[in-house]
Amino acid sequence: MSKVDMAFIGGRGLFSNYGGVENAIREIALEVSKKNENIIVYGASNEDENVFPLPRNLTRVVCPLWIYQKLGQHGLIVFCVLHALFVGRPKVVYLFASGPCIFTPLLRLGRLKVITSLRAVDSARDKWGKVSQKILQMGEYCSWRFANAFTVNSKEMVEIYAPRRNDVKFIPNGAKGIETKGEGRLSEYGLTSDRYLLFAARLDPVKRLHILLEAHSKLPAETRPMLVVAGGHVKDKLYEQQLIDMASPDVVFVGHISKLELDPLMAHCRAFILPSVLEGMSNSILSAMAAGKPVLAADVPANSDLVEYRDALFTADDCDELQTKLSVLSSNDEFCATLGAKLKERAKAEYSWSTTSEKFYQLSKSIN
C-alpha cells in the first residue's frame, strides 16, 4: 500500500446511504481525492446501497463481515482504529461522530495526527440507555480534549464547545443537487408530482415523525396531500408500531431507501418536512434547498441557522403551528415557489462541498 495521507473513520462506509456521517465522509473524500492525496475510507463490507467507481487514490477498507455481524458498530469502529494504527498508518485520521472519537487518545498515543468532527451532540439523543450515553459523552469529551484539531458542523455546537476549546472550527456541510431526476417509483407508490410532502430521516423519536403524523392527520381530508415517509433502521419496534397506527390513509411508508431511490422523491415532492429537534447540520434539508424545494423544519438552532427564513420554520413540538404551516404549503403554490427559490439561492451561496472539503484539507495540512 502506498503511503496514506489521510483516513476517514465513522459511519458505515463510502457506499452506505445510512445517514449524515456517511454522506459527509463520501463527499469530502471524493473532493479531496482530486488533489491526488492517498485516502482510505473505512466501512462495513455489506453496506453497498450506492456503489460507484472510485478514483485510483481512494481506497475502501472494509471490516470483515463476521466482526460486523457479531459486534455491530462497536466492532466496526475498533477494527477501523486498529487497522489505522497498525496497517494504514495515515498522516492524518479524521474521526466523524461521537462514538469513534473515544479512540482519539489511542490514535494520538500511536503517533497519528487526529482531526475530530462532531456532527451532533449524540449523547443528547433520547434513545440511548445509560451505558451508551456515557460512552458517547466520553467520545465527545475526547473529541475536543485530545484531537490535534476539533471541528463541528453547526454554530450551536460552536457555542457549546468554545468555552472548553477556543480553537474549535466551524465547518458546515455542503449542499448537493439531485442527480436522478426521473420519476423513479412514483407511480408504484401512487404519487403525483408536486402533490405530496416528503419526510426522510431515521424513525427515531428525536426526529419527531409522530408530531408530523398528528399534524398531517388533522388537515382536511379533501385537500390533504399525501405524506411519504422514507426512513428505517428502527431500534424501537413499539415506536414504529405507534407511527403506523397514527398515520392517516394518505401516508406512504417506503422504508430506508438508497439515494438513487430518494432523489426522484425529492425532485418531485411539494415540500420537505423535518420536525426533528436534535440535528447537527441536516444533509436532507440541504439537499431539499439545493433542489429548490420549500422546507419546513423545527425551529431549533441547527435548523434555523441553516434555513434562516422564518417561513421555513415552526416552533419545535408545536403540532398546531405545524398543522397551520402544512396547510399553507399544501394550498399556496406561489408561497411554495417563492420559498423554494430563496432556499435554493441560499444553498448555492453558503453551502458547498467543495468549500467544506477544502477547509478540512487545509486543516490537515496545518497540523502536519
Side-chain angles (χ1 to χ4, degrees):
M1 181 184 291
S2 302
K3 178 63 179 177
V4 179
D5 295 296
M6 55 188 67
F8 291 83
I9 298 175
R12 289 155 172 77
L14 271 172
F15 298 152
S16 173
N17 201 42
Y18 180 83
V21 168
E22 287 79 6
N23 293 334
I25 288 177
R26 179 171 57 250
E27 299 302 329
I28 294 166
L30 287 172
E31 284 290 334
V32 175
S33 71
K34 297 174 184 177
K35 299 179 180 294
N36 295 318
E37 300 284 306
N38 290 317
I39 301 170
I40 287 177
V41 175
Y42 289 97
S45 59
N46 61 336
E47 296 282 346
D48 296 335
E49 302 165 298
N50 186 27
V51 179
F52 53 86
L54 295 179
R56 287 191 301 174
N57 58 323
L58 179 53
T59 302
R60 177 175 172 250
V61 173
V62 297
C63 174
L65 185 59
W66 68 268
I67 294 179
Y68 190 46
Q69 288 178 332
K70 288 186 176 295
L71 301 176
Q73 193 70 5
H74 300 301
L76 169 62
I77 295 170
V78 171
F79 168 84
C80 298
V81 169
L82 293 178
H83 188 282
L85 273 170
F86 298 111
V87 182
R89 299 297 303 172
K91 294 178 183 176
V92 177
V93 179
Y94 292 89
L95 296 178
F96 274 62
S98 304
C101 287
I102 201 169
F103 291 99
T104 305
L106 179 61
L107 290 165
R108 291 294 311 279
L109 286 171
R111 298 186 178 181
L112 297 180
K113 300 291 180 66
V114 180
I115 296 175
T116 54
S117 182
L118 293 185
R119 319 306 288 176
V121 184
D122 289 330
S123 63
R125 299 182 190 274
D126 52 15
K127 66 180 181 178
W128 305 115
K130 289 185 178 180
V131 174
S132 295
Q133 187 179 50
K134 290 296 182 184
I135 291 172
L136 291 172
Q137 288 173 345
M138 182 60 70
E140 289 153 5
Y141 171 78
C142 291
S143 69
W144 65 264
R145 179 65 180 84
F146 298 110
N148 296 94
F150 170 53
T151 77
V152 295
N153 71 340
S154 78
K155 294 177 181 177
E156 178 189 18
M157 284 194 288
V158 171
E159 294 177 2
I160 292 172
Y161 289 106
R164 307 173 198 179
R165 180 161 177 166
N166 60 16
D167 66 344
V168 55
K169 300 290 192 298
F170 167 58
I171 305 181
N173 290 348
K176 188 172 183 179
I178 293 170
E179 298 172 353
T180 306
K181 296 188 178 179
E183 291 201 353
R185 300 169 67 182
L186 258 67
S187 59
E188 179 182 332
Y189 296 136
L191 303 173
T192 302
S193 183
D194 198 44
R195 290 293 176 265
Y196 63 90
L197 308 173
L198 177 63
F199 167 95
R202 293 189 304 276
L203 303 189
D204 182 323
V206 78
K207 300 298 182 181
R208 296 300 198 263
L209 176 57
H210 55 281
I211 299 291
L212 174 56
L213 291 174
E214 181 181 351
H216 179 260
S217 69
K218 292 179 178 178
L219 295 174
E222 61 274 11
T223 58
R224 182 170 58 215
M226 295 189 73
L227 170 63
V228 176
V229 175
H233 302 296
V234 183
K235 294 185 178 181
D236 186 343
K237 293 299 181 181
L238 289 177
Y239 180 66
E240 180 183 27
Q241 189 58 52
Q242 175 192 344
L243 296 175
I244 293 170
D245 291 343
M246 68 188 304
S248 77
D250 298 312
V251 177
V252 180
F253 289 89
V254 301
H256 176 71
I257 55 178
S258 68
K259 188 177 187 300
L260 190 65
E261 295 175 286
L262 181 60
D263 274 359
L265 290 174
M266 183 70 81
H268 293 278
C269 74
R270 185 170 181 85
F272 179 76
I273 318 297
L274 189 67
S276 173
V277 295
L278 183 63
E279 291 292 326
M281 178 174 280
S282 169
N283 282 308
S284 296
I285 290 180
L286 281 168
S287 293
M289 291 169 63
K293 297 296 176 181
V295 168
L296 184 56
D299 189 3
V300 295
N303 291 340
S304 58
D305 287 341
L306 184 54
V307 301
E308 195 173 65
Y309 301 106
R310 181 61 206 175
D311 283 344
L313 298 165
F314 72 96
T315 304
D317 288 333
D318 188 331
C319 185
D320 291 337
E321 185 181 351
L322 176 55
Q323 179 189 343
T324 299
K325 293 204 166 186
L326 287 177
S327 181
V328 174
L329 286 171
S330 302
S331 60
N332 193 326
D333 293 344
E334 183 179 355
F335 175 86
C336 288
T338 301
L339 180 57
K342 288 180 179 178
L343 293 174
K344 184 174 184 178
E345 184 58 33
R346 177 165 171 76
K348 183 179 179 181
E350 301 291 336
Y351 304 106
S352 159
W353 278 121
S354 177
T355 302
T356 290
S357 302
E358 182 65 21
K359 289 179 179 180
F360 274 109
Y361 175 70
Q362 292 300 331
L363 195 55
S364 72
K365 294 304 177 186
S366 71
I367 64 174
N368 269 319

